[in-house]
Amino acid sequence: EAGVAQSPRYKIIEKRQSVAFWCNPISGHATLYWYQQILGQGPKLLIQFQNNGVVDDSQLPKDRFSAERLKGVDSTLKIQPAKLEDSAVYLCASSSPRGNTGELFFGEGSRLTVL
Amino acid sequence: QKEVEQNSGPLSVPEGAIASLNCTYSDRGSQSFFWYRQYSGKSPELIMSIYSNGDKEDGRFTAQLNKASQYVSLLIRDSQPSDSATYLCAVLFHNAGNMLTFGGGTRLMVKP
């Protein structure tokens, strides 16, 4: 069974530029998450989708971050404009068709460096 | 604000010893608790889940839950150098849209 796919693995940009990350979850997984993990900290939930609807985006900085999950499968997270403090690993995860059981499968992550 | 607290460590134990990792959480209504392991430069992977008070054993790992004290722990018996990683405690807050919240993690170092 293929795991969660993410791209790009690494991205370096200047502050105020924009960046987009892509995620394809495990086939059949209805729930998709984007987490931000700053070095030395635990993952912080940015947004949670159930199929193509948003379940929770209370910690998403909506003035600069946006995310969508068209057709309920793959998802894109965008940052525009980026700030220095956005330097982090962006982790995409998915969970089973039963919804959010807390048993998440993570992709390899997309490491963003903002200069 | 739903919170999950862990000591950041590092926790250093000799090979073959028992490593004890602890976690506290803020919401008495939480029902589901998880331990994820994260190797340096890698993504988190689920190693244990626990849903009811008491102990749950899986090989060398034992998860312990005390809901009255809002406390969950992970014991690793016969620690191996390959257990060296960051251990993340995660709590599913059911009355907050089923949001899985992670603690900051405890870094474990097992010395040969």
Side-chain angles (χ1 to χ4, degrees):
Chain A
E1 179 181 74
V4 176
Q6 288 190 247
S7 67
R9 290 292 313 279
Y10 305 93
K11 189 75 176 179
I12 300 174
I13 61 173
E14 301 278 338
K15 60 183 179 184
R16 291 187 290 273
Q17 287 187 322
S18 63
V19 63
F21 302 112
W22 173 83
C23 172
N24 188 263
I26 293 172
S27 178
H29 279 195
T31 311
L32 184 148
Y33 318 77
W34 284 101
Y35 281 86
Q36 178 193 59
Q37 188 172 27
I38 293 171
L39 187 64
Q41 299 181 17
K44 172 187 156 186
L45 180 67
L46 294 176
I47 190 166
Q48 177 179 329
F49 292 95
Q50 179 77 16
N51 297 308
N52 60 350
V54 175
V55 173
D56 189 291
D57 64 357
S58 57
Q59 299 188 95
L60 186 74
K62 297 181 186 64
D63 58 334
R64 299 184 299 106
F65 286 65
S66 63
E68 60 182 10
R69 190 184 184 195
L70 299 176
K71 301 180 182 177
V73 182
D74 56 355
S75 176
T76 302
L77 176 71
K78 295 180 181 177
I79 307 174
Q80 181 179 11
K83 292 186 175 182
L84 296 177
E85 60 260 37
D86 298 331
S87 293
V89 176
Y90 291 86
L91 295 165
C92 180
S94 67
S95 62
S96 79
R98 292 180 290 133
N100 187 3
T101 63
E103 300 177 3
L104 270 55
F105 296 85
F106 285 89
E108 293 184 302
S110 295
R111 183 179 297 275
L112 173 65
T113 301
V114 182
L115 302 175
Chain B
Q1 183 77 11
K2 309 300 183 185
E3 294 185 345
V4 180
E5 300 286 342
Q6 294 182 258
N7 189 316
S8 61
L11 173 66
S12 182
V13 299
E15 184 174 356
I18 296 175
S20 178
L21 304 159
N22 304 314
C23 171
T24 58
Y25 59 94
S26 63
D27 181 12
R28 284 188 177 274
S30 302
Q31 297 296 321
S32 307
F33 307 86
F34 306 87
W35 285 98
Y36 283 77
R37 177 177 61 201
Q38 187 172 28
Y39 291 113
S40 181
K42 301 295 185 182
S43 294
E45 57 176 334
L46 179 67
I47 54 171
M48 289 286 287
S49 57
I50 187 166
Y51 304 98
S52 54
N53 280 328
D55 295 359
K56 179 182 177 182
E57 188 175 316
D58 184 0
R60 295 186 297 111
F61 297 96
T62 299
Q64 299 176 318
L65 175 61
N66 183 327
K67 289 186 179 180
S69 300
Q70 295 174 231
Y71 178 93
V72 58
S73 64
L74 179 70
L75 300 178
I76 306 175
R77 288 182 301 281
D78 188 24
S79 295
Q80 301 297 309
S82 57
D83 295 326
S84 297
T86 295
Y87 289 81
L88 298 162
C89 174
V91 179
L92 191 64
F93 292 107
H94 293 286
N95 58 356
N98 269 8
M99 191 167 78
L100 187 67
T101 299
F102 286 86
T106 298
R107 185 168 153 232
L108 173 67
M109 298 171 58
V110 181
K111 303 205 167 179

Short mmCIF file of all heavy atoms in Angstrom, two decimals, chain A residues 9 35 37 40-43 45 48 55-56 58-59 91 100-104 106-109 111, chain B residues 1 32 34 36 38 41 43-46 49 51 88 92 96-105:
data_model
loop_
_atom_site.label_atom_id
_atom_site.label_comp_id
_atom_site.label_asym_id
_atom_site.label_seq_id
_atom_site.Cartn_x
_atom_site.Cartn_y
_atom_site.Cartn_z
N ARG A 9 10.19 18.05 -1.29
CA ARG A 9 10.77 17.67 0.00
C ARG A 9 11.46 18.85 0.67
O ARG A 9 11.46 18.98 1.88
CB ARG A 9 11.78 16.54 -0.18
CG ARG A 9 11.19 15.20 -0.53
CD ARG A 9 10.38 14.59 0.63
NE ARG A 9 11.06 14.66 1.90
CZ ARG A 9 12.01 13.82 2.31
NH1 ARG A 9 12.41 12.84 1.52
NH2 ARG A 9 12.57 13.96 3.50
N TYR A 35 0.08 19.63 9.29
CA TYR A 35 0.71 20.04 10.53
C TYR A 35 1.96 20.86 10.20
O TYR A 35 2.64 20.59 9.21
CB TYR A 35 1.14 18.83 11.37
CG TYR A 35 0.02 18.17 12.16
CD1 TYR A 35 -0.79 17.20 11.58
CD2 TYR A 35 -0.21 18.51 13.49
CE1 TYR A 35 -1.80 16.58 12.31
CE2 TYR A 35 -1.21 17.90 14.23
CZ TYR A 35 -2.00 16.94 13.63
OH TYR A 35 -3.01 16.33 14.36
N GLN A 37 5.64 21.75 11.86
CA GLN A 37 6.55 21.37 12.93
C GLN A 37 7.80 22.23 12.86
O GLN A 37 8.63 22.08 11.96
CB GLN A 37 6.92 19.89 12.88
CG GLN A 37 7.72 19.44 14.11
CD GLN A 37 7.94 17.94 14.19
OE1 GLN A 37 7.96 17.25 13.18
NE2 GLN A 37 8.10 17.42 15.42
N GLY A 40 12.48 21.41 17.03
CA GLY A 40 12.49 21.30 18.49
C GLY A 40 11.12 21.32 19.13
O GLY A 40 11.01 21.23 20.36
N GLN A 41 10.06 21.41 18.30
CA GLN A 41 8.70 21.45 18.83
C GLN A 41 7.89 20.27 18.30
O GLN A 41 8.28 19.61 17.34
CB GLN A 41 8.02 22.77 18.45
CG GLN A 41 8.72 24.00 19.02
CD GLN A 41 8.00 25.29 18.64
OE1 GLN A 41 6.83 25.27 18.24
NE2 GLN A 41 8.68 26.41 18.80
N GLY A 42 6.73 20.05 18.92
CA GLY A 42 5.83 19.04 18.41
C GLY A 42 5.03 19.58 17.23
O GLY A 42 4.97 20.79 17.01
N PRO A 43 4.42 18.68 16.44
CA PRO A 43 3.60 19.14 15.32
C PRO A 43 2.39 19.94 15.80
O PRO A 43 1.77 19.60 16.80
CB PRO A 43 3.16 17.83 14.65
CG PRO A 43 4.13 16.80 15.12
CD PRO A 43 4.52 17.22 16.49
N LEU A 45 -1.31 21.42 14.52
CA LEU A 45 -2.31 21.26 13.47
C LEU A 45 -2.65 22.60 12.84
O LEU A 45 -2.99 23.56 13.54
CB LEU A 45 -3.58 20.63 14.05
CG LEU A 45 -4.72 20.42 13.05
CD1 LEU A 45 -4.34 19.35 12.01
CD2 LEU A 45 -6.00 20.02 13.76
N GLN A 48 -7.57 20.58 9.12
CA GLN A 48 -8.04 19.19 9.03
C GLN A 48 -9.22 19.15 8.07
O GLN A 48 -10.17 19.91 8.20
CB GLN A 48 -8.44 18.69 10.41
CG GLN A 48 -9.02 17.29 10.47
CD GLN A 48 -9.36 16.87 11.89
OE1 GLN A 48 -8.71 17.29 12.84
NE2 GLN A 48 -10.36 16.04 12.03
N VAL A 55 -12.80 20.59 8.59
CA VAL A 55 -13.29 20.26 9.93
C VAL A 55 -12.78 21.26 10.95
O VAL A 55 -13.53 21.69 11.83
CB VAL A 55 -12.85 18.83 10.32
CG1 VAL A 55 -13.21 18.53 11.77
CG2 VAL A 55 -13.44 17.80 9.38
N ASP A 56 -11.50 21.62 10.82
CA ASP A 56 -10.89 22.56 11.78
C ASP A 56 -9.78 23.31 11.09
O ASP A 56 -8.90 22.69 10.48
CB ASP A 56 -10.35 21.80 12.99
CG ASP A 56 -9.91 22.73 14.11
OD1 ASP A 56 -8.90 23.45 13.93
OD2 ASP A 56 -10.57 22.77 15.17
N SER A 58 -8.73 26.35 12.89
CA SER A 58 -8.65 27.41 13.88
C SER A 58 -7.22 27.92 14.10
O SER A 58 -7.03 29.04 14.57
CB SER A 58 -9.24 26.93 15.22
OG SER A 58 -8.55 25.77 15.67
N GLN A 59 -6.21 27.10 13.78
CA GLN A 59 -4.82 27.52 13.99
C GLN A 59 -4.12 27.87 12.68
O GLN A 59 -2.91 28.04 12.66
CB GLN A 59 -4.06 26.43 14.74
CG GLN A 59 -4.65 26.15 16.12
CD GLN A 59 -3.79 25.21 16.95
OE1 GLN A 59 -2.98 25.64 17.75
NE2 GLN A 59 -3.95 23.92 16.74
N LEU A 91 4.03 18.88 7.53
CA LEU A 91 3.70 17.46 7.50
C LEU A 91 2.26 17.27 7.07
O LEU A 91 1.35 17.89 7.62
CB LEU A 91 3.88 16.86 8.90
CG LEU A 91 5.29 16.83 9.47
CD1 LEU A 91 5.26 16.55 10.96
CD2 LEU A 91 6.12 15.77 8.76
N ASN A 100 -11.28 10.56 12.02
CA ASN A 100 -10.12 10.84 12.85
C ASN A 100 -10.15 9.98 14.10
O ASN A 100 -10.80 10.27 15.08
CB ASN A 100 -10.06 12.31 13.23
CG ASN A 100 -8.76 12.63 13.96
OD1 ASN A 100 -7.89 11.76 14.11
ND2 ASN A 100 -8.63 13.85 14.40
N THR A 101 -9.40 8.89 14.05
CA THR A 101 -9.27 8.01 15.21
C THR A 101 -8.03 8.36 16.02
O THR A 101 -7.77 7.74 17.04
CB THR A 101 -9.16 6.56 14.75
OG1 THR A 101 -7.96 6.43 13.97
CG2 THR A 101 -10.35 6.16 13.90
N GLY A 102 -7.24 9.30 15.54
CA GLY A 102 -5.98 9.62 16.18
C GLY A 102 -4.83 8.81 15.65
O GLY A 102 -3.69 9.05 16.00
N GLU A 103 -5.12 7.83 14.79
CA GLU A 103 -4.07 6.99 14.22
C GLU A 103 -3.73 7.56 12.85
O GLU A 103 -4.37 7.24 11.85
CB GLU A 103 -4.55 5.55 14.13
CG GLU A 103 -4.91 4.98 15.49
CD GLU A 103 -5.46 3.57 15.43
OE1 GLU A 103 -5.52 3.00 14.34
OE2 GLU A 103 -5.85 3.05 16.48
N LEU A 104 -2.72 8.40 12.84
CA LEU A 104 -2.35 9.13 11.64
C LEU A 104 -1.16 8.50 10.94
O LEU A 104 -0.25 7.97 11.59
CB LEU A 104 -2.00 10.58 12.01
CG LEU A 104 -3.14 11.60 12.01
CD1 LEU A 104 -4.28 11.18 12.91
CD2 LEU A 104 -2.60 12.96 12.44
N PHE A 106 1.80 9.66 8.43
CA PHE A 106 2.44 10.89 7.97
C PHE A 106 3.23 10.67 6.69
O PHE A 106 3.82 9.59 6.49
CB PHE A 106 3.39 11.43 9.04
CG PHE A 106 2.71 12.09 10.20
CD1 PHE A 106 2.30 11.35 11.30
CD2 PHE A 106 2.46 13.46 10.18
CE1 PHE A 106 1.67 11.97 12.38
CE2 PHE A 106 1.84 14.08 11.25
CZ PHE A 106 1.44 13.33 12.35
N GLY A 107 3.27 11.71 5.88
CA GLY A 107 4.20 11.74 4.76
C GLY A 107 5.59 12.13 5.26
O GLY A 107 5.80 12.34 6.46
N GLU A 108 6.54 12.20 4.34
CA GLU A 108 7.93 12.50 4.71
C GLU A 108 8.13 13.97 5.06
O GLU A 108 9.15 14.32 5.63
CB GLU A 108 8.87 12.08 3.59
CG GLU A 108 8.94 10.58 3.39
CD GLU A 108 9.96 10.19 2.35
OE1 GLU A 108 9.85 10.65 1.20
OE2 GLU A 108 10.89 9.42 2.69
N GLY A 109 7.18 14.81 4.73
CA GLY A 109 7.28 16.22 5.08
C GLY A 109 7.93 17.06 4.00
O GLY A 109 8.67 16.57 3.15
N ARG A 111 10.24 20.42 3.91
CA ARG A 111 11.03 21.33 4.76
C ARG A 111 11.15 22.68 4.07
O ARG A 111 11.70 22.77 2.96
CB ARG A 111 12.41 20.76 5.04
CG ARG A 111 13.25 21.64 5.97
CD ARG A 111 14.60 21.00 6.23
NE ARG A 111 14.48 19.74 6.91
CZ ARG A 111 14.36 19.59 8.23
NH1 ARG A 111 14.38 20.66 9.02
NH2 ARG A 111 14.25 18.39 8.76
N GLN B 1 -8.06 26.40 25.47
CA GLN B 1 -6.90 25.88 24.74
C GLN B 1 -6.56 24.49 25.28
O GLN B 1 -6.36 24.30 26.46
CB GLN B 1 -5.70 26.82 24.94
CG GLN B 1 -4.46 26.45 24.18
CD GLN B 1 -4.54 26.81 22.71
OE1 GLN B 1 -5.44 27.52 22.29
NE2 GLN B 1 -3.62 26.30 21.93
N SER B 32 -8.90 9.45 24.03
CA SER B 32 -7.96 8.66 23.23
C SER B 32 -6.57 9.28 23.32
O SER B 32 -6.42 10.49 23.18
CB SER B 32 -8.41 8.64 21.76
OG SER B 32 -9.76 8.22 21.67
N PHE B 34 -2.19 8.67 22.49
CA PHE B 34 -1.29 8.02 21.55
C PHE B 34 0.15 8.39 21.85
O PHE B 34 0.45 9.49 22.33
CB PHE B 34 -1.63 8.46 20.12
CG PHE B 34 -3.09 8.24 19.77
CD1 PHE B 34 -4.03 9.22 20.06
CD2 PHE B 34 -3.51 7.06 19.18
CE1 PHE B 34 -5.37 9.02 19.78
CE2 PHE B 34 -4.84 6.85 18.91
CZ PHE B 34 -5.78 7.84 19.20
N TYR B 36 3.69 8.61 19.62
CA TYR B 36 4.35 8.56 18.33
C TYR B 36 5.86 8.65 18.56
O TYR B 36 6.32 9.34 19.46
CB TYR B 36 3.91 9.74 17.45
CG TYR B 36 2.54 9.59 16.83
CD1 TYR B 36 1.38 9.79 17.58
CD2 TYR B 36 2.40 9.24 15.48
CE1 TYR B 36 0.12 9.65 17.01
CE2 TYR B 36 1.15 9.11 14.90
CZ TYR B 36 0.02 9.31 15.66
OH TYR B 36 -1.23 9.17 15.09
N GLN B 38 9.51 9.67 16.70
CA GLN B 38 10.04 10.45 15.58
C GLN B 38 11.56 10.41 15.63
O GLN B 38 12.19 11.00 16.51
CB GLN B 38 9.54 11.90 15.63
CG GLN B 38 9.92 12.71 14.41
CD GLN B 38 9.27 14.08 14.39
OE1 GLN B 38 8.95 14.65 15.43
NE2 GLN B 38 9.06 14.61 13.20
N GLY B 41 15.03 13.86 11.73
CA GLY B 41 14.90 14.08 10.29
C GLY B 41 13.80 13.27 9.62
O GLY B 41 13.64 13.33 8.40
N SER B 43 9.56 11.54 9.88
CA SER B 43 8.20 11.89 10.29
C SER B 43 7.76 11.04 11.47
O SER B 43 8.29 9.95 11.69
CB SER B 43 7.24 11.69 9.13
OG SER B 43 7.52 12.60 8.11
N PRO B 44 6.77 11.50 12.22
CA PRO B 44 6.26 10.70 13.34
C PRO B 44 5.61 9.41 12.86
O PRO B 44 4.99 9.38 11.80
CB PRO B 44 5.22 11.62 14.00
CG PRO B 44 5.55 13.00 13.53
CD PRO B 44 6.12 12.84 12.16
N GLU B 45 5.75 8.35 13.67
CA GLU B 45 5.07 7.09 13.40
C GLU B 45 4.41 6.62 14.68
O GLU B 45 4.98 6.70 15.77
CB GLU B 45 6.03 6.04 12.86
CG GLU B 45 7.20 5.74 13.78
CD GLU B 45 8.09 4.62 13.27
OE1 GLU B 45 7.60 3.75 12.52
OE2 GLU B 45 9.27 4.60 13.66
N LEU B 46 3.20 6.10 14.55
CA LEU B 46 2.44 5.65 15.71
C LEU B 46 3.04 4.36 16.28
O LEU B 46 3.30 3.41 15.54
CB LEU B 46 0.99 5.40 15.30
CG LEU B 46 0.05 4.90 16.40
CD1 LEU B 46 -0.16 5.98 17.45
CD2 LEU B 46 -1.29 4.47 15.78
N SER B 49 -1.36 3.11 21.24
CA SER B 49 -2.57 3.86 21.53
C SER B 49 -3.18 3.27 22.81
O SER B 49 -3.00 2.08 23.10
CB SER B 49 -3.57 3.75 20.38
OG SER B 49 -3.88 2.39 20.12
N TYR B 51 -6.84 3.72 25.45
CA TYR B 51 -8.15 4.36 25.52
C TYR B 51 -8.78 4.26 26.90
O TYR B 51 -9.72 4.99 27.21
CB TYR B 51 -9.09 3.75 24.49
CG TYR B 51 -8.56 3.82 23.09
CD1 TYR B 51 -7.92 2.72 22.51
CD2 TYR B 51 -8.66 4.98 22.34
CE1 TYR B 51 -7.40 2.79 21.22
CE2 TYR B 51 -8.15 5.05 21.04
CZ TYR B 51 -7.53 3.95 20.50
OH TYR B 51 -7.02 4.03 19.22
N LEU B 88 6.60 11.54 21.03
CA LEU B 88 5.53 12.54 21.06
C LEU B 88 4.27 11.94 21.65
O LEU B 88 3.79 10.91 21.19
CB LEU B 88 5.23 13.02 19.63
CG LEU B 88 6.36 13.71 18.88
CD1 LEU B 88 6.08 13.71 17.38
CD2 LEU B 88 6.57 15.12 19.37
N LEU B 92 -6.42 13.01 21.64
CA LEU B 92 -7.53 13.33 20.76
C LEU B 92 -8.60 14.00 21.61
O LEU B 92 -9.21 13.37 22.47
CB LEU B 92 -8.08 12.05 20.10
CG LEU B 92 -9.06 12.24 18.96
CD1 LEU B 92 -8.39 12.93 17.79
CD2 LEU B 92 -9.62 10.89 18.51
N ALA B 96 -13.47 18.96 20.77
CA ALA B 96 -12.87 20.06 20.00
C ALA B 96 -12.73 19.60 18.56
O ALA B 96 -11.69 19.77 17.94
CB ALA B 96 -11.52 20.47 20.58
N GLY B 97 -13.79 18.99 18.05
CA GLY B 97 -13.79 18.57 16.66
C GLY B 97 -12.86 17.42 16.37
O GLY B 97 -12.40 17.28 15.24
N ASN B 98 -12.60 16.58 17.37
CA ASN B 98 -11.69 15.45 17.16
C ASN B 98 -10.33 15.92 16.67
O ASN B 98 -9.81 15.43 15.67
CB ASN B 98 -12.29 14.44 16.17
CG ASN B 98 -13.10 13.38 16.88
OD1 ASN B 98 -13.35 13.47 18.06
ND2 ASN B 98 -13.52 12.39 16.14
N MET B 99 -9.79 16.89 17.37
CA MET B 99 -8.49 17.44 16.99
C MET B 99 -7.39 16.71 17.74
O MET B 99 -7.40 16.62 18.97
CB MET B 99 -8.45 18.92 17.33
CG MET B 99 -7.25 19.65 16.74
SD MET B 99 -7.43 21.44 16.84
CE MET B 99 -7.03 21.74 18.54
N LEU B 100 -6.41 16.16 17.00
CA LEU B 100 -5.28 15.47 17.62
C LEU B 100 -4.20 16.49 17.93
O LEU B 100 -3.66 17.13 17.02
CB LEU B 100 -4.73 14.38 16.69
CG LEU B 100 -3.65 13.49 17.31
CD1 LEU B 100 -4.24 12.63 18.41
CD2 LEU B 100 -3.00 12.62 16.25
N THR B 101 -3.92 16.66 19.23
CA THR B 101 -2.95 17.65 19.68
C THR B 101 -1.72 16.95 20.21
O THR B 101 -1.83 16.04 21.04
CB THR B 101 -3.57 18.54 20.77
OG1 THR B 101 -4.70 19.22 20.23
CG2 THR B 101 -2.57 19.57 21.28
N PHE B 102 -0.56 17.39 19.75
CA PHE B 102 0.70 16.80 20.16
C PHE B 102 1.38 17.62 21.25
O PHE B 102 1.27 18.85 21.28
CB PHE B 102 1.67 16.74 18.96
CG PHE B 102 1.33 15.67 17.95
CD1 PHE B 102 0.43 15.92 16.94
CD2 PHE B 102 1.94 14.43 18.03
CE1 PHE B 102 0.12 14.94 16.00
CE2 PHE B 102 1.64 13.44 17.10
CZ PHE B 102 0.73 13.70 16.09
N GLY B 103 2.09 16.92 22.12
CA GLY B 103 3.00 17.57 23.03
C GLY B 103 4.29 17.94 22.30
O GLY B 103 4.46 17.62 21.12
N GLY B 104 5.20 18.58 23.02
CA GLY B 104 6.45 19.02 22.41
C GLY B 104 7.46 17.90 22.19
O GLY B 104 8.45 18.10 21.49
N GLY B 105 7.21 16.75 22.82
CA GLY B 105 8.10 15.62 22.64
C GLY B 105 9.18 15.55 23.70
O GLY B 105 9.63 16.56 24.23
#
